[in-house]
Amino acid sequence: MRLRVTYHLACSSRLAAERARDIAFEQTVELPADAVPPEVAARVAGRVESVEAIGRGRSRAVISFDPGAACGDLPQLLNLLFGNISLKTGILIAGLEWPADLLAALSGPRLGIAGLRELTSVRGRPLLCTALKPLGLSALHLARLAYGFARAGIDLIKDDHSLADQTTAPFRERVERCQEAVARANGETGGNALYFPNVTSVPSAMSERAGAARRAGCRGVVVNALPAGLGAVGAIAATGLAIMSHPSLAGAFFHSDHGIAPEVLLGDLFRVAGSDAVIYPNVGGRFTFPEATCAAINARLRGPLGPVPPSFPVPAGGIDAARVPHWIERYGADTIFLIGGSLYAQPDPATAAERLVAAMRRHTHG
Amino acid sequence: MRLRVTYHLACSSRLAAERARDIAFEQTVELPADAVPPEVAARVAGRVESVEAIGRGRSRAVISFDPGAACGDLPQLLNLLFGNISLKTGILIAGLEWPADLLAALSGPRLGIAGLRELTSVRGRPLLCTALKPLGLSALHLARLAYGFARAGIDLIKDDHSLADQTTAPFRERVERCQEAVARANGETGGNALYFPNVTSVPSAMSERAGAARRAGCRGVVVNALPAGLGAVGAIAATGLAIMSHPSLAGAFFHSDHGIAPEVLLGDLFRVAGSDAVIYPNVGGRFTFPEATCAAINARLRGPLGPVPPSFPVPAGGIDAARVPHWIERYGADTIFLIGGSLYAQPDPATAAERLVAAMRRHTHG
């Protein structure tokens, strides 16, 4: 079976067949058809499966690729799907159909929804997550926040994705203090809150930080998947840590007529890369996704995908704590709600977190 | 000194001041101003230095950041510059002014223009480069091409950026055969052609491949910098191999009103990441850069940048071999011309390469 990619092309169907053929060659043999030995073209070049008009100067082309061209390797897969044609215009990846052997080679999340539920001992309800912020606070101060959130019953307490190794809260000190604070709170409440530090960095530092996080007792981490390189997600996942992927930079791909559709990038690709949970900007927050896009991301993260376990969607980006019951209603139990700013807008974030936890419990047990 | 970023905003100057302030907070403390302790905001939040109208509903804002927020770390620098705001609209990074200590921390290319001239023994003229392609040929076939190009006098012979570890030409076999072929040609001609394999992959495989390339005798490699993660460039550069960075996926950032300007991404950022040479799509080829953008990329790669050595611009993407004298005239000696398809369009690429080398020599010695 082949990897089938649906491209939306900003051109009429009259021109679309030739554009589709250009894409099929550009992304593989990178030569015009007449400069490629025919037997090589037949084996290796993309194959235009269909082209049709979808209205208003837009067409849909399905191009299939030999999955062997991707080598089971995320960076090469991205290159195959959109590498060179990113430099052209009017080409949007709107859908992917995955062959089983490519999915098996990419492996996907090690834990997924089931594994994260196991780690947090949370069944039958969504998870609540918040972020330690802002950048600029000391490790001690962040650890105090972490303690308060864990005491309040927040399930996942993550570093803000901009906390790296700044001198205000150096990575090692921050991880040790925050992990200790959360463990202490768990000891007091009998709870099972987890702390996920952000380990994003260059490859060597990232692997050192993941090791330090594991040794400190953390069970998962945050990765800014595109700045790090999507292949870095799998590298960290292989160590056994849970991965919450952050969509930093992803918006560069989200143009309506050129790029990769949000549900393909954050849904399919972040999932197969090994993310156990994927953060995305929820409708109605500080960012701009329509509700249908959010629903599509949820569906791509959770839906059947061969041997690849489902991942948790993590709607975020300005969710109001007071609206969480509404979002639980819409998105269902297999969701992690990331509530950050709305807690920090209150005089005491930990007290606001307690109210959030209580509201969620009333709603899911009521 | 602070890191100064020039953003173009798709809004009138009346709204621009508030948008600029939002960006300054979003990219650092990731909270609204009233939820951040004032002493933290003063130290850590971006600072809006200026806002001015630039016509037709567009404004320019200069925002400065504490360079410490980037931790001398490329992934975190990308995150600081454009991470979350990528998910908004109408925000273009049009320029950067670098503080010396951040440049020193990022270190940039190890070899740069001078080092690559040393490796190739080419002085006073541009370098000629071609690609081994297409994907689908055997390692033996690619090695024959490499031999022919080296015999013809091509200075740099690189893997096509889509050659990864496909079964048709597995990485190890390809590198050994191609490197041997180029070394053999050099032995016959007294020349000094170099072969650069593509090592792009997930972090562990990438570092293994770089090691295998070095052991085979290669002096440099190709990296698809964005698929791999921009931090991977520095990781490979640290091993002493020269890096030719490929712009795969970069086009996602090149929208006129949202993203990162090509000269900033491929010029500044690819250079400080450690690229000794940066491939970009030349004007008039298969892609879409205007000539001014090409000139700006050349200038950012070669210009003074504190302690960071200059990198070679590598115009590519459909340069006609017959037009190389014209481009030498325009771009000057400190350029690597990457001529691929134009050679493969001829019955014998090696003979076409000989003609290209002869034309370049007539032009630069004449």
Side-chain angles (χ1 to χ4, degrees), chain A residues 26 30 73 79 160 201 248 252, chain B residues 30 73 79 160 201 248 252:
Chain A
E26 180 71 49
E30 219 188 318
D73 170 320
N79 184 48
D160 201 19
S201 185
S248 172
Chain B
E30 219 187 316
D73 170 321
N79 184 48
D160 201 18
S201 186
S248 172

Side-chain angles (χ1 to χ4, degrees), chain A residues 40-52:
Chain A
V40 170
R43 268 187 298 115
V44 173
R47 196 180 294 157
V48 180
E49 303 284 352
S50 66
V51 177
E52 58 184 326

